[in-house]
Amino acid sequence: MTTHSMNNALSIRDLETAARKRLPASIFGYVSGGSEDLLTLRANRAAFDAWRFVPRPLVNVAKRSQKVELFGKTYSAPVGIAPMGVATLCHFDGDVALARAAHEAGQPYVLSAASTTPLERVAQVNPDTWYQAYLPADTAVIGPLLERVAAAGIGVLVVTVDVQIASMRENEIRNGFSIPLRPNPTLIMGGLLRPRWLLGNFVRTLLAQGVPHFENFTATRGGPIIRATPGDHRAGRAAMTWEEIRWIRERWNGALLVKGLLRASDAVMAQSIGVDGVVVSNHGGRQLDGTVTSLDALPAMALAAPGLPLILDSGIRRGTDVLKALALGAHATLVGRPAMYGLAAAGQAGAAQALALFKREIDVDLALLGCADIAQLSTDFLCRAGEVLAADNIPLKELP
Ligand code: FNR
């Protein structure tokens, strides 16, 4: 798919198909796959499908708004790009392409700790970049990193807490994929079978930028993505606790988000120590397999921590999914793979297309639902699939 034919992609599924054709199998597997038996990966989709809308026509929806305010900024849509590591594998200068696409669309973008473009450069391209950290339980490492992120003008810090150690992703092992990336026959053969990717991304990256390095795990530049560096980013992460979050809260003046919580009591804990928001996430089914879905975890968290901005990800593929998440208590959402599929298919234009598809679908869906503004979404618009309505959607009101 070329930049010019992007409009042929009518859905995120189309972008996924295009990405599958463009990427070596090992890299497509890295993006699309999940851990172990893929229970959570699949459940993430099923959770959205288990809700149905109860529309309310004959309401004036001639003017519709999907704008949302988050941490002092107004965004054009309640959908941002989730942090994703080594985006450079999907497209030349992938971090910058994603950052630009989000900035031009007026939607949030979260730069991953596992990225290969210095965060200072990304923040120049998109001054509203959020930074996602993978942190060791070592304040001597965390402190200087916070200073670096603040000095780049980044105002939102997202600390991901559901990657204590690497998960088991069997497809990656079978495909010869690993981080650090270790060249092997399966990987090389996969690259040779995708000449457009090989020349347009792999060779182009090597020639223009050299071997990508992990630029943003700590205050200083990390090692190349093809080699494990002693004392690298993974060291010490498993020991992290709420103590470090408290420590960060005392020193970080910007907005602080914790990503990867699924328990109501953890939302309460986050709120009580002054965290500004929570990303309700099971990491897109890439970490502990068999977890509760974000969507099923959401209502209890919203109820337990009123006023705490909850940003939901994991499984969102349609505008209707976004509306369901907002109706169940999310303030906004993030999408991971949809943006990465777009990036792989056609670079910045493809990522922009993914964001535009969500925006267009949300707009149409709001009209058809009979809700002029996302701020008015509530469980009043939903019922469980298969549920026989007594009157309007009364059974839902019995939810805790
Ligand atoms: C991720 N995710 C992720 N999360 C994070 O906090 N730091 C990271 O570096 C990464 N890296 C990463 C790479 C790839 C290829 C994917 C697909 C995902 C998880 C991501 O932020 C988000 O939680 C999920 O992708 C959301 O699920 P969907 O939208 O992909 O279904």
Side-chain angles (χ1 to χ4, degrees):
M1 192 173 283
T2 65
T3 306
H4 302 293
S5 63
M6 277 317 298
N7 288 335
N8 294 344
L10 300 177
S11 65
I12 298 300
R13 172 89 38 106
D14 288 349
L15 290 176
E16 178 178 350
T17 305
R20 188 194 294 269
K21 287 186 189 146
R22 179 63 74 108
L23 294 175
S26 57
I27 296 176
F28 181 77
Y30 159 68
V31 175
S32 61
S35 48
E36 298 184 4
D37 290 321
L38 312 182
L39 292 177
T40 301
L41 183 70
R42 292 190 184 120
N44 282 344
R45 285 301 316 142
F48 286 100
D49 295 344
W51 290 101
R52 294 284 184 269
F53 291 109
V54 188
R56 186 187 293 144
L58 294 175
V59 166
N60 186 347
V61 288
K63 283 203 196 98
R64 299 176 293 281
S65 171
Q66 54 177 293
K67 288 200 174 76
V68 65
E69 202 194 306
L70 291 170
F71 318 116
K73 293 231 163 74
T74 302
Y75 295 95
S76 66
V79 183
I81 299 181
M84 284 176 289
V86 285
T88 185
L89 295 178
C90 289
H91 197 272
F92 176 75
D93 222 9
D95 298 318
V96 166
L98 289 174
R100 281 210 172 104
H103 189 52
E104 287 174 15
Q107 291 170 242
Y109 165 69
V110 194
L111 175 70
S112 162
S115 49
T116 57
T117 314
L119 59 87
E120 291 78 7
R121 182 170 164 234
V122 178
Q124 257 171 18
V125 166
N126 178 349
D128 184 42
T129 294
W130 303 5
Y131 169 78
Q132 174 261 320
Y134 276 137
L135 299 174
D138 183 351
T139 53
V141 174
I142 302 173
L145 173 64
L146 298 187
E147 282 168 27
R148 178 181 171 194
V149 174
I154 291 176
V156 182
L157 173 69
V158 182
V159 181
T160 295
V161 296
D162 57 5
V163 187
Q164 298 92 331
I165 62 170
S167 63
M168 302 291 287
R169 300 188 198 149
E170 289 148 32
N171 91 73
E172 293 182 5
I173 298 168
R174 288 199 183 95
N175 284 331
F177 185 92
S178 62
I179 300 283
L181 208 57
R182 291 196 186 81
N184 60 65
T186 321
L187 211 58
I188 292 164
M189 186 50 78
L192 292 174
L193 288 170
R194 289 288 187 273
R196 272 191 310 180
W197 176 88
L198 194 66
L199 293 175
N201 187 28
F202 184 76
V203 172
R204 187 175 169 200
T205 301
L206 284 183
L207 290 179
Q209 301 176 334
V211 175
H213 282 54
F214 288 115
E215 300 282 351
N216 301 317
F217 272 117
T218 66
T220 52
R221 187 180 204 217
I225 64 170
I226 52 170
R227 208 177 334 115
T229 322
D232 78 352
H233 54 277
R234 283 163 214 242
R237 206 188 291 159
M240 194 174 151
T241 68
W242 284 102
E243 278 315 301
E244 281 75 34
I245 302 292
R246 268 201 199 90
W247 189 91
I248 294 168
R249 178 66 295 176
E250 282 163 18
R251 284 155 186 88
W252 173 256
N253 293 325
L256 173 62
L257 277 62
V258 176
K259 176 172 181 279
L261 300 183
L262 293 163
R263 301 179 74 99
S265 57
D266 279 344
V268 172
M269 175 69 135
Q271 193 172 35
S272 74
I273 63 177
V275 167
D276 299 292
V278 162
V279 183
V280 180
S281 170
N282 59 33
H283 216 99
R286 301 165 72 83
Q287 286 305 111
L288 177 65
D289 197 27
T291 57
V292 64
T293 65
S294 312
L295 198 68
D296 288 341
L298 176 68
M301 295 172 82
L303 198 71
L308 178 70
L310 299 177
I311 300 178
L312 180 135
D313 79 19
S314 299
I316 291 177
R317 299 293 178 271
R318 286 283 185 188
T320 48
D321 299 335
V322 176
L323 297 195
K324 287 174 184 176
L326 299 190
L328 287 167
H331 293 66
T333 63
L334 299 176
V335 294
R337 297 177 187 88
M340 201 75 133
Y341 293 147
L343 177 75
Q348 183 184 334
Q353 174 80 349
L355 295 178
L357 281 170
F358 280 110
K359 214 180 260 176
R360 190 172 73 198
E361 289 179 4
I362 290 169
D363 186 53
V364 170
D365 298 335
L366 279 176
L368 300 179
L369 184 60
C371 179
D373 191 321
I374 56 166
Q376 289 156 13
L377 286 165
S378 72
T379 53
D380 193 46
F381 285 104
L382 294 181
C383 69
R384 296 299 275 179
E387 179 183 14
V388 177
L389 301 182
D392 279 356
N393 50 5
I394 283 167
L396 244 190
K397 303 218 169 76
E398 292 160 15
L399 269 179

